[in-house]
């Protein structure tokens, strides 16, 4: 895209801000409610109801701890970035997305009410361990490192991918050494940043200039950095990248790099995991799960069955 058009492009990028949640997310505090609402309105975020018809799954609910069944309430922390993972509707307050619909559907199946708080992606996992929240969503990728301290109940298969400007010479990234000498935009505290930092030495080892990693908390800022030439390539979620590049000019999805399971996050050793696993599998059986994925256009991310903390996909 010609640089003379970058102002319009940046505005469009802000509207089509990337869903950085899989393995990372934009900080909801970084986007004013008004801006979020405007973005949702222009993007025509899908709003069809695919959750209210869910009936209580008695067998799954029976797996809940007695205290939880008695209280009927759990506290959930949701990282809100952009669609299809989680975003704000035009009122600037209501959240919507795959993470939101699946969590709400699972709660209805378990006969629970969720008390939802929005939180920064990087703050959720530590807060689970402290007991501040019962569970969290943020398109959290299941990795072996995270499994040491967090329990997961899977509900999607997403992962890592790349996007570039149309004028980029990159056609596919199959090895991170192809990024040597370039600037990569991503978010802090994510599997993207970890992957990039762990492999950056390979450029110098091969006698090449290392790539530079630029991290951002605001999804729109990442796309602005790409369009304005401050980043050469963006690394983020497969679903988020595909959604975003379909709604702005001058950029293209490059390729998938690595698949990861995505799941609800819980404190290690939680007794809630079996119930949520049964709830997700029940949603798959009654068709609710497929309706949610169809609503958000991510049918390719369907899982065959929910698992509790499976090994990282290699």
């Amino acid at each position: 895209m010609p640089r003379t058009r970058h102002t319009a492009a940046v505005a469009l990028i802000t509207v089509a801000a990337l869903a950085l949640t899989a393995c990372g997310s934009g900080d909801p505090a970084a986007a004013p409610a008004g801006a979020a609402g405007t973005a949702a309105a222009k993007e025509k975020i899908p709003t069809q109801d695919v959750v209210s018809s869910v009936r209580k799954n008695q067998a799954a609910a029976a797996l809940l701890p007695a205290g939880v069944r008695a209280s009927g309430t759990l506290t959930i922390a949701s990282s809100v970035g952009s669609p299809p993972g989680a975003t704000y509707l035009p009122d600037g307050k209501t959240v919507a997305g795959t993470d939101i619909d699946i969590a709400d559907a699972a709660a209805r199946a378990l006969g629970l009410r969720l008390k939802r708080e929005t939180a920064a992606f990087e703050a959720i996992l530590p807060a689970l361990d402290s007991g501040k929240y019962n569970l969290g969503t943020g398109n959290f990728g299941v990795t072996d490192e995270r499994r040491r301290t967090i329990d997961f109940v899977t509900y999607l298969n997403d992962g890592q991918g790349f996007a570039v400007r149309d004028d980029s010479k990159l056609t596919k990234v199959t090895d991170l050494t192809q990024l040597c000498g370039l600037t990569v935009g991503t978010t802090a505290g994510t599997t993207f940043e970890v992957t990039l930092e762990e492999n950056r030495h390979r450029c110098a080892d091969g006698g090449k200039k290392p790539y530079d990693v630029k991290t951002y908390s605001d999804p729109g800022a990442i796309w602005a950095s790409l369009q304005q030439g401050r980043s050469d390539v963006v690394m983020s979620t497969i679903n988020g990248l595909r959604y975003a590049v379909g709604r702005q000019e001058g950029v293209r999805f490059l390729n998938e790099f690595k698949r990861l399971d995505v799941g609800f996050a819980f404190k290690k050793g939680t007794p809630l995991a079996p119930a949520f696993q049964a709830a997700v599998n029940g949603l798959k059986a009654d068709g609710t799960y497929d309706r949610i994925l169809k609503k958000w256009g991510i049918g390719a991310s369907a899982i065959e069955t929910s698992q509790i903390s499976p090994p990282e996909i290699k």
Side-chain angles (χ1 to χ4, degrees):
M1 175 180 290
R3 293 294 179 268
T4 56
R5 298 174 58 194
H6 94 276
T7 301
V10 171
L12 183 57
I13 294 162
T14 302
V15 170
L18 172 63
L20 295 172
T21 51
C23 315
S25 172
D27 183 346
T38 301
K42 292 183 178 181
E43 287 183 56
K44 298 182 179 179
I45 301 299
T47 57
Q48 61 265 40
D49 178 9
V50 290
V51 173
S52 64
S53 62
V54 175
R55 296 181 179 180
K56 186 174 181 178
N57 182 330
Q58 297 292 348
L63 298 174
L64 288 168
V68 175
R69 290 201 305 272
S71 70
T73 302
L74 289 178
T75 301
I76 182 172
S78 294
S79 173
V80 181
S82 306
T87 189
Y88 288 97
L89 292 183
D91 63 9
K93 299 178 181 179
T94 305
V95 290
T98 311
D99 289 344
I100 308 304
D101 281 345
I102 293 179
D104 288 350
R108 291 183 70 90
L110 293 170
L112 298 174
R113 181 179 69 85
L114 292 180
K115 180 182 178 183
R116 176 174 282 112
E117 296 183 21
T118 57
F121 173 84
E122 61 272 18
I124 293 178
L125 299 186
L128 293 173
D129 188 59
S130 72
K132 183 177 182 179
Y133 306 113
N134 298 117
L135 70 156
T137 59
N139 211 334
F140 288 109
V142 181
T143 67
D144 290 338
E145 178 65 27
R146 286 175 174 168
R147 289 194 306 132
R148 294 188 178 97
T149 56
I150 296 293
D151 280 342
F152 294 94
V153 173
T154 62
Y155 59 84
L156 279 181
N157 177 263
D158 195 351
Q160 304 174 341
F162 295 96
V164 294
R165 293 186 304 276
D166 282 345
D167 61 5
S168 174
K169 295 180 180 179
L170 285 172
T171 58
K172 189 174 184 179
V173 176
T174 57
D175 190 294
L176 294 180
T177 57
Q178 294 173 257
L179 302 177
C180 296
L182 301 179
T183 299
V184 187
T186 192
T187 40
T190 63
T191 62
F192 316 120
E193 183 185 21
V194 171
T195 298
L196 290 167
E197 293 294 349
E198 286 182 346
N199 287 275
R200 183 157 56 175
H201 70 90
R202 295 174 56 205
C203 292
D205 292 348
K208 299 179 181 179
K209 180 181 178 181
Y211 49 75
D212 189 21
V213 181
K214 297 291 187 182
T215 58
Y216 301 87
S217 61
D218 179 5
I222 293 179
W223 288 104
S225 76
L226 181 67
Q227 292 277 16
Q228 294 171 352
R230 289 180 283 110
S231 294
D232 300 298
V233 58
V234 166
M235 186 179 188
S236 188
T237 72
I238 295 167
N239 288 335
L241 290 169
R242 282 181 167 147
Y243 190 98
V245 300
R247 288 158 176 79
Q248 58 181 297
E249 300 175 6
V251 295
R252 55 187 166 89
F253 178 74
L254 205 55
N255 64 283
E256 296 182 8
F257 183 71
K258 179 181 179 180
R259 280 277 174 175
L260 284 173
D261 287 320
V262 169
F264 296 113
F266 300 88
K267 182 178 180 178
K268 190 71 176 177
T270 178
L272 297 172
F276 272 82
Q277 179 191 29
V280 173
N281 285 329
L283 296 173
K284 285 185 62 63
D286 69 17
T288 301
Y289 179 84
D290 288 340
R291 287 191 290 274
I292 292 173
L293 267 58
K294 181 178 179 181
K295 170 183 175 179
W296 295 101
I298 59 168
S301 282
I303 57 173
E304 292 186 7
T305 186
S306 178
Q307 300 180 73
I308 297 175
S309 298
E312 179 179 346
I313 298 173
K314 300 297 185 179

